[in-house]
C-alpha cells in the first residue's frame, strides 16, 4: 500500500453543505465551571446534567464534559475520545439528546467523561501544536489519574474512541498504564487506508465529504449545520502522524492485552475492510482477548452524530457490561 503523504497545513474534516437552510451560528464554548442541562428524551424523564471539567495531566490542562449517575456511585467510568478536528461535544447528542453517550451512560449507572484530546480545548494554550498520538495517550493517562483522585470510578475506566481518537485509544492500551483499562470499544479506526483515502492532503478538503459522512440520509436534518460547532483546527504535530499510522499499528498491536471491540459503519470508507484485511488486522492483536469486529448498519464514519448513534452507544455499553461480567476492572473506589 502506498502510504498517504502528510499535509503541510492543518484542516478540519469537511462538512457537507445544506444549501436550502439558513446558516446557524456556532454554539459558544462551554466554560470550565458551567453546567449544561441536557434535554430529556421524554417528558417524564429528569434531565441528566452534563458539566464541563478541567483535569490536571501533569501540568497540562485537559478539558472535557462529565455526566454522572444521579444519587449512586458509578459502576465504572466510560472515557470517550473524539476524532480528528472535533471536540468532546461530539458525544453529547448533536441534534437529539437521546443520542448523547454522556446522558445515556449516566442513566445506566456509569460516569461518562468525554475528553478534549491534547491540542484541543483548554490544552491549546499549552500545546498550540498538539502532541503526537503516543504522547497524547500518555497525557490522557495522566488526566485519568487526576480524575480518579477526585471522583469515584467504580470498576475503572472503559474507553470509547472514534477515528483518530481510536488511534490514541490503542496507544493508551499499549502503554504500561493501559493494562488496567477494563476494555476498549473503537469505531471508525482500521489499519490500512482505503485507496480513496490515500490522496492526502486533497481528500481533507471538500473531497473528503463522502469519506467522512457516507450517504447524507444517514444523518438527521440539521446535522451538518449543527456539526460546524464541533469543528476544531487539527494540531500540526497530530497532523503529520496521519501518514504513519499503518506503520504504527503493528508496533502497538502485540502489546494490547485488553478486551477490544472494533466497530465499522456499513458505509465506512476510510479503511480497507475486506475479510482478508480485517483478519490481518485482528491477527496482530495477539495478546488482546477477546477481540471482536462488528459492522453497524445504516451508519457512516461519524457514527455518534448520525441516526445510528444510540444503537452504537448501547452496543458499546453492552460490551462494557460483558467485560465486567468476565471480571475485568478493579475494586470500587470510594
Amino acid at each position: 500500500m502506498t502510504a498517504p503523504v502528510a499535509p503541510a497545513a492543518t484542516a478540519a474534516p469537511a462538512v457537507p453543505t445544506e444549501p436550502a437552510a439558513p446558516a446557524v451560528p456556532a454554539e459558544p464554548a462551554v466554560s470550565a465551571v458551567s453546567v449544561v442541562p441536557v434535554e430529556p428524551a421524554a417528558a417524564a424523564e429528569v434531565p441528566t446534567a452534563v458539566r464541563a471539567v478541567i483535569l490536571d495531566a501533569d501540568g497540562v490542562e485537559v478539558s472535557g464534559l462529565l455526566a454522572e449517575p444521579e444519587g449512586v456511585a458509578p459502576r465504572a467510568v466510560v472515557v470517550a475520545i473524539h476524532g480528528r478536528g472535533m471536540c468532546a461535544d461530539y458525544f453529547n447528542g448533536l441534534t437529539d439528546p437521546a443520542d448523547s453517550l454522556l446522558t445515556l451512560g449516566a442513566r445506566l449507572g456509569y460516569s461518562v467523561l468525554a475528553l478534549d484530546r491534547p491540542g484541543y480545548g483548554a490544552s491549546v494554550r499549552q500545546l498550540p501544536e498538539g502532541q503526537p498520538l503516543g504522547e497524547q495517550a500518555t497525557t490522557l493517562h495522566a488526566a485519568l489519574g487526576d480524575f480518579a483522585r477526585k471522583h469515584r470510578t467504580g470498576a475503572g475506566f472503559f474507553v470509547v474512541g472514534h477515528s483518530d481518537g481510536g488511534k490514541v485509544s490503542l496507544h493508551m492500551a499499549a502503554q504500561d498504564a493501559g493494562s488496567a483499562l477494563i476494555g476498549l470499544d473503537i469505531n471508525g479506526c482500521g489499519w490500512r487506508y482505503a485507496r480513496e483515502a490515500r490522496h492526502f492532503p486533497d481528500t481533507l478538503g471538500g473531497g473528503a465529504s463522502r469519506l467522512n459522512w457516507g450517504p447524507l440520509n444517514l444523518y438527521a436534518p440539521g446535522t451538518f449545520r449543527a456539526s460546524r460547532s464541533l469543528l476544531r483546527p487539527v494540531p500540526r504535530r497530530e497532523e503529520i502522524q496521519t501518514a504513519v499510522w499503518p506503520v504504527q499499528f503493528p508496533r502497538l498491536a502485540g502489546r494490547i492485552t485488553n478486551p477490544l471491540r472494533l466497530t465499522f459503519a456499513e458505509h465506512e470508507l476510510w479503511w480497507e475492510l475486506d475479510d482478508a484485511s480485517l483478519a490481518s488486522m485482528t491477527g496482530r492483536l495477539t495478546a488482546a482477548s477477546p477481540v471482536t469486529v462488528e459492522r453497524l448498519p445504516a451508519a457512516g464514519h461519524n457514527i455518534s452524530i448520525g441516526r445510528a448513534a444510540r444503537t452504537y452507544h448501547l452496543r458499546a455499553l453492552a460490551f462494557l457490561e460483558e467485560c465486567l461480567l468476565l471480571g475485568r476492572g478493579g475494586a470500587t473506589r470510594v
Side-chain angles (χ1 to χ4, degrees):
M1 184 203 78
T2 302
V5 178
T10 61
V15 177
T17 302
E18 294 174 317
V24 176
E27 298 177 4
V30 179
S31 70
V33 296
S34 62
V35 176
V36 183
V38 179
E39 296 179 8
E45 294 183 358
V46 176
T48 299
V50 176
R51 63 187 178 94
V53 294
I54 297 289
L55 301 175
D56 179 5
D58 291 341
V60 175
E61 287 191 339
V62 173
S63 53
L65 299 173
L66 174 64
E68 298 175 290
E70 297 285 344
V72 296
R75 300 178 61 219
V77 180
V78 177
V79 181
I81 304 178
H82 66 84
R84 170 194 182 99
M86 292 279 187
C87 63
D89 216 37
Y90 172 83
F91 294 101
N92 196 24
L94 183 65
T95 58
D96 186 344
D99 293 339
S100 169
L101 175 61
L102 286 121
T103 57
L104 175 64
R107 286 170 182 156
L108 293 177
Y110 301 106
S111 290
V112 184
L113 177 65
L115 294 175
D116 291 314
R117 290 195 284 114
Y120 297 84
S123 67
V124 171
R125 292 188 293 272
Q126 296 161 282
L127 302 170
E129 295 191 343
Q131 291 180 322
L133 302 182
E135 291 182 21
Q136 289 186 38
T138 301
T139 300
L140 292 183
H141 273 305
L144 295 183
D146 184 52
F147 182 87
R149 287 188 288 272
K150 302 171 182 175
H151 301 80
R152 294 182 177 185
T153 60
F157 296 107
F158 176 87
V159 177
V160 175
H162 167 65
S163 194
D164 277 17
K167 297 175 185 177
V168 174
S169 302
L170 293 171
H171 274 278
M172 291 177 70
Q175 294 178 354
D176 289 342
S179 61
L181 298 173
I182 296 171
L184 299 94
D185 199 295
I186 308 299
N187 73 84
C189 178
W191 175 14
R192 297 188 179 100
Y193 295 108
R195 182 179 300 276
E196 186 177 352
R198 298 176 197 166
H199 304 294
F200 286 86
D202 297 339
T203 56
L204 298 179
S209 290
R210 199 173 83 88
L211 299 175
N212 286 328
W213 302 94
L216 303 189
N217 63 0
L218 301 176
Y219 304 88
T223 298
F224 306 121
R225 295 193 307 276
S227 67
R228 292 184 174 90
S229 69
L230 304 179
L231 299 183
R232 302 291 186 271
V234 181
R236 187 189 70 85
R237 296 186 70 196
E238 175 182 321
E239 178 90 29
I240 61 179
Q241 289 221 302
T242 301
V244 299
W245 173 247
V247 177
Q248 288 182 339
F249 173 75
R251 296 174 180 172
L252 300 172
R255 303 202 299 270
I256 297 171
T257 60
N258 319 80
L260 174 62
R261 194 177 82 113
L262 300 169
T263 298
F264 297 101
E266 178 184 358
H267 300 281
E268 174 62 63
L269 301 174
W270 278 102
W271 306 99
E272 291 182 357
L273 296 178
D274 58 275
D275 291 345
S277 295
L278 290 175
S280 184
M281 181 179 184
T282 57
R284 280 156 175 76
L285 294 159
T286 53
S289 179
V291 177
T292 61
V293 177
E294 293 196 20
R295 304 279 191 153
L296 184 66
H301 177 72
N302 283 313
I303 290 173
S304 288
I305 54 177
R307 297 182 189 273
R310 185 174 176 86
T311 300
Y312 168 67
H313 296 155
L314 285 168
R315 291 185 180 184
L317 294 172
F319 182 58
L320 168 53
E321 293 281 354
E322 180 181 329
C323 292
L324 295 175
L325 185 65
L326 295 175
R328 294 290 301 191
T332 301
R333 297 176 186 267
V334 294

